[in-house]
Amino acid sequence: MGPQKGSRPILAIETSCDDTSVALVHVDGNVDAVLSASQDLEHEPFGGIVPELASRNHTLQLLPLIEKIFVATGTGWNSLEGIAVTNRPGLIGSLMVGVVTAKTLSLVHSLPLVGVNHIEGHLLAPFLKDSQFQAPEGFGFPYVALAVSGGHTHLFLVEGIERYRVLGKTVDDAAGEAFDKFAKWIGLGYPGGALVDRASQDGRIDAFHFPRALMKEGNIDFSFSGLKTASAKILADLGDAEVLHRRGDLCASFQEAVVDVLIEKLKRAGEMTDVRTVVVTGGVSANSRLRQRLSALAQEKNWIGVVPPLRYCTDNAAMIGYVGIQKLLLGHKDDQSLSPSASAYASDYQVES
Ligand code: KG4
Ligand code: ZN
């Protein structure tokens, strides 16, 4: 008799954007290992992600990373539950590298295959566990999750595995994208979110006024394009020398505008659904001010507030593995017809009517 079903880890592959990542994850959320290769240095000279470069780098990085994680953990092909791969949403060329690799490996090693929605990975990331992290006592379904990164700014009601209700989303740009643009304009590098965060440490949050969009009562959608336009005007009016001189104040005030909106909408979503547990995930959740404001909100409302550690918030394969192994054990496998998709499937979410 082989090992009991569900006792082995899944091999997860994430290549939806610019990070190549692999992980070994168990059904209870325990992460044996996660290994990622960042491409920031390759894209930095262009001030943003160049899709063709991203696909090419995934091709270079992926198989060596899988080999490395097997060596590091003493895992082999015959000790896996299956293979999970992000197949949606994302850059099509990047997704293609992961999907074709996963399909081939599944065929060669006769392992079950499961395609995962990247956003679902972000939403369930708080269930991941390792020697340094475990979600706080009392954490569980249902909860409201704000998934906020360079590609998405979405509010969900997470009721269970495969039960996600979209509560609100950005009508234009993602919050991370706004951070990155702003950073570029004031002469910080790429990706800019973390640099704006750092520069804000010695700035005043009320030095400049940046607009907060869609704040009318009851609205839980987001819009950041107006903030971008207003920022461009503020910077142009100040001129290069003054922008450089007032960088800290500009960053702190800009960051406060973004965080104000994110926290207010999260608060409204929590109140509307009455769930009492709120999660912030995605790359922007690294933001120190957002983390501060989330814990203040949780304290004020007596809610459980969870931000998974950074390694599970930024794009990573561990979150894909967690979703993949839940699906596999529910019997939701894919076959060789699995293909990459630039957008999520309509069936991925229930839309609030
Ligand atoms: O989840 P992620 O790694 O990749 C995407 O799916 O986009 O998120 C990357 C985004 C970038 O826009 C980056 O500027 C932003 O997260 N980010 C931050 C911080 N660290 C990363 N934004 C604000 N403050 C930070 N500390
Ligand atoms: Zn992401």
Side-chain angles (χ1 to χ4, degrees), residues 146-147 152-156 166-174 214 219-224 265 349 351-352:
L146 172 67
H152 15 265
T153 305
H154 274 69
L155 264 173
F156 288 93
V166 180
L167 300 174
K169 59 179 187 306
T170 180
V171 297
D172 40 55
D173 306 327
L214 305 182
N219 189 315
I220 46 173
D221 283 325
F222 304 90
S223 167
F224 296 103
K265 303 292 169 114
Y349 314 125
V351 179
E352 189 83 328

Side-chain angles (χ1 to χ4, degrees), residues 19 118 122 149-152 176-177 179-180 191-194 197 282-284 286-287 313-315:
D19 290 311
H118 176 89
H122 279 305
S149 74
H152 15 265
E177 205 180 332
F179 267 110
D180 293 339
D197 190 357
V284 177
N287 187 267
C313 273
T314 55
D315 286 353

Side-chain angles (χ1 to χ4, degrees), residues 5-218:
K5 202 167 164 49
S7 64
R8 296 169 298 190
I10 199 166
L11 169 68
I13 296 175
E14 155 65 41
T15 64
S16 67
C17 193
D18 63 332
D19 290 311
T20 319
S21 183
V22 301
L24 291 165
V25 184
H26 292 262
V27 70
D28 62 359
N30 264 301
V31 181
D32 283 345
V34 53
L35 289 180
S36 304
S38 158
Q39 302 181 7
D40 285 351
L41 289 178
E42 276 84 359
H43 300 282
E44 209 262 328
F46 304 96
I49 296 166
V50 182
E52 302 270 307
L53 265 184
S55 322
R56 182 176 158 274
N57 280 301
H58 288 311
T59 311
L60 291 174
Q61 308 276 14
L62 185 53
L63 285 171
L65 271 184
I66 294 175
E67 235 175 270
K68 210 164 147 187
I69 205 165
F70 278 178
V71 171
T73 56
T75 308
W77 291 107
N78 55 5
S79 46
L80 295 178
E81 201 67 48
I83 302 177
V85 62
T86 307
N87 79 313
R88 63 193 191 276
L91 299 171
I92 206 79
S94 289
L95 289 166
M96 221 182 275
V97 178
V99 170
V100 172
T101 305
K103 290 207 308 190
T104 309
L105 293 172
S106 136
L107 195 65
V108 169
H109 299 287
S110 304
L111 284 164
L113 171 74
V114 60
V116 173
N117 166 10
H118 176 89
I119 309 291
E120 199 176 347
H122 279 305
L123 297 181
L124 298 192
F127 288 104
L128 293 169
K129 289 178 218 161
D130 57 32
S131 58
Q132 269 118 51
F133 174 75
Q134 170 147 22
E137 184 119 3
F139 171 77
F141 300 123
Y143 54 88
V144 164
L146 172 67
V148 59
S149 74
H152 15 265
T153 305
H154 274 69
L155 264 173
F156 288 93
L157 173 61
V158 181
E159 294 174 302
I161 308 282
E162 297 180 344
R163 290 179 59 209
Y164 316 103
R165 191 172 290 278
V166 180
L167 300 174
K169 59 179 187 306
T170 180
V171 297
D172 40 55
D173 306 327
E177 205 180 332
F179 267 110
D180 293 339
K181 277 273 153 55
F182 186 76
K184 191 173 165 181
W185 290 338
I186 60 167
L188 296 168
Y190 170 86
L195 303 167
V196 172
D197 190 357
R198 200 173 315 145
S200 300
Q201 306 296 327
D202 39 52
R204 275 181 33 223
I205 58 174
D206 57 354
F208 294 91
H209 180 75
F210 289 91
R212 279 89 168 140
L214 305 182
M215 295 300 266
K216 228 176 79 199
E217 205 180 319

